[in-house]
Amino acid sequence: RKEVEQDPGPFNVPEGATVAFNCTYSNSASQSFFWYRQDCRKEPKLLMSVYSSGNEDGRFTAQLNRASQYISLLIRDSKLSDSATYLCVVKGTANNLFFGTGTRLTVIP
Amino acid sequence: SAVISQKPSRDICQRGTSLTIQCQVDSQVTMMFWYRQQPGQSLTLIATANQGSEATYESGFVIDKFPISRPNLTFSTLTVSNMSPEDSSIYLCSVLPRLAEIYNEQFFGPGTRLTVL
């Protein structure tokens, strides 16, 4: 079983739409969770960490459900510039990161 | 954050040869990692580069194929040895800066795009 499983999409949404991505992780002992964003032919960049109580950063909301080992990312009022691949990431026991396969989002004018 | 550079940014190599990729950080970092991203796929950790000792390899990766050096807290190299077309990939260095340790926030270099013919 993969460490992190993620819906690959693609998600094609109109500008202004709300879109949600989900992922699940296999190691119940995992403590740190992140969403990274990767633009085409670029390196991944940290979008936000995911905290137990859930957290919000502008139009982005991340939530964690430890009981279900489930992480989500909600993007409100989608912009064209949000088009990218969103990677669900879980920290391993030695500070290494396990990446999901990524969910590709295209925001359409 | 940290400013990370990688050399070369891209290369095209013949099978059977080796390529060494360099990763340089603008500040001392506790941990450095090497990842691979094969075409159309997500990132897979190759190894953790340990300063002053042998790297820690993930399952499926071995030192003979991917020797790693880390002579100090700002620099590391990854060598892809005896290359085959299956090694065609993007190789990324990532770091965990000291001030970001508490948040476990890693930063990635721009990557090295390798094509093996």
Side-chain angles (χ1 to χ4, degrees):
Chain A
R1 185 182 172 190
K2 290 184 180 177
E3 293 276 348
V4 181
E5 303 231 31
Q6 194 176 352
D7 181 350
F11 285 69
N12 300 314
V13 303
E15 269 186 292
T18 295
V19 61
F21 307 137
N22 306 313
C23 90
T24 56
Y25 59 96
S26 60
N27 186 352
S28 59
S30 299
Q31 294 295 317
S32 300
F33 311 90
F34 311 90
W35 284 100
Y36 276 71
R37 169 190 169 133
Q38 187 172 28
D39 292 286
C40 188
R41 303 176 80 83
K42 297 283 189 181
E43 73 274 20
K45 293 187 177 176
L46 180 65
L47 178 66
M48 58 195 303
S49 300
V50 186
Y51 302 124
S52 296
S53 55
N55 49 300
E56 188 173 305
D57 182 2
R59 298 181 294 107
F60 298 84
T61 300
Q63 292 196 311
L64 169 65
N65 183 322
R66 286 190 185 275
S68 302
Q69 295 178 209
Y70 170 98
I71 306 159
S72 67
L73 176 68
L74 183 77
I75 305 176
R76 291 181 299 279
D77 188 22
S78 299
K79 312 290 185 191
L80 296 177
S81 57
D82 293 334
S83 297
T85 297
Y86 291 83
L87 302 165
C88 178
V89 183
V90 177
K91 188 180 83 74
T93 54
N95 285 319
N96 51 336
L97 300 178
F98 294 99
F99 284 76
T101 51
T103 299
R104 181 160 182 79
L105 170 67
T106 302
V107 181
I108 304 164
Chain B
S1 65
V3 177
I4 307 163
S5 60
Q6 282 186 235
K7 288 183 185 178
S9 59
R10 59 177 61 228
D11 208 342
I12 300 173
C13 302
Q14 297 294 327
R15 70 172 67 207
T17 63
S18 298
L19 176 71
T20 295
I21 302 167
Q22 298 179 7
C23 177
Q24 179 75 54
V25 193
D26 68 340
S27 58
Q28 293 187 343
V29 295
T30 304
M31 303 191 76
M32 296 180 78
F33 306 90
W34 286 98
Y35 288 83
R36 178 173 74 181
Q37 186 171 28
Q38 293 180 302
Q41 298 190 28
S42 192
L43 283 77
T44 300
L45 179 66
I46 298 171
T48 301
N50 300 309
Q51 196 261 330
S53 64
E54 192 171 287
T56 304
Y57 290 85
E58 296 299 306
S59 176
F61 298 96
V62 295
I63 188 171
D64 290 346
K65 176 67 176 177
F66 297 102
I68 288 171
S69 78
R70 188 169 174 202
N72 56 52
L73 294 177
T74 63
F75 185 80
S76 178
T77 67
L78 168 74
T79 299
V80 186
S81 303
N82 188 25
M83 288 184 283
S84 66
E86 291 72 35
D87 294 321
S88 297
S89 187
I90 300 172
Y91 292 85
L92 296 118
C93 166
S94 84
V95 304
L96 181 61
R98 284 180 169 171
L99 292 180
E101 281 178 44
I102 189 171
Y103 304 109
N104 294 303
E105 294 178 357
Q106 290 187 22
F107 298 89
F108 285 82
T112 296
R113 185 177 295 273
L114 170 63
T115 302
V116 184
L117 302 177

